[in-house]
Amino acid sequence: TGKFIRLALPDGRTGFALKKEVQKLSKWTKQTFNYELIEKNARRMMGSPYLWGGMSTKMADCSGFVKTCYFANGIILQRDASQQAHTGQVFKWEDWKNDMMPGDLIFIGTKSGRVTHVAMYIGNGKYIHSSGRVKINSLDPASPDYLDYTFLSVSRIKGHIGTQGITAVKAHPWYFNL
């Protein structure tokens, strides 16, 4: 009633949510790639604490954060940063200024090349990630919010849904009997 809608949870309990925050499953699954929605959900999580293995809007690790942001747009990514690094269109880190677009995933790690962290590029040399908490940092070494990371590579998800490790919810058997 009013601003709220009653929801049935999988375990049989019921709850309420704001109507404006809910949409029909059929509408959610028909979404196309929408970077604005992905970024909006990422920014909603600003300040949320880091939790290793976390994968929700309340607490998340770096790969769980990225996975949650994309899932809100009906896109399922691999669970771990080291898996996500091998999906989509992969670019060399050195080409980031020319090639990177908002929504691309930035992979960070060790000097030997082992992926240990993932962030999402949001444009203008900035990225959002879960490191201690969800926050925005800069790729510009002269910026006060620059973090001295070993940047490894960039992966583009846009245009690669349906390829290895990037699945549209509507094409996943957990959600629909195909």
Side-chain angles (χ1 to χ4, degrees), residues 27-39:
K27 183 177 179 185
W28 175 62
T29 61
K30 290 179 183 168
Q31 297 178 92
T32 57
F33 183 91
N34 181 340
Y35 170 70
E36 289 77 22
L37 175 64
I38 295 166
E39 181 183 1

Side-chain angles (χ1 to χ4, degrees), residues 132-149:
R133 59 183 167 76
V134 175
K135 60 187 173 185
I136 295 174
N137 286 105
S138 177
L139 294 170
D140 180 1
S143 176
D145 59 353
Y146 174 78
L147 296 176
D148 190 17
Y149 281 144

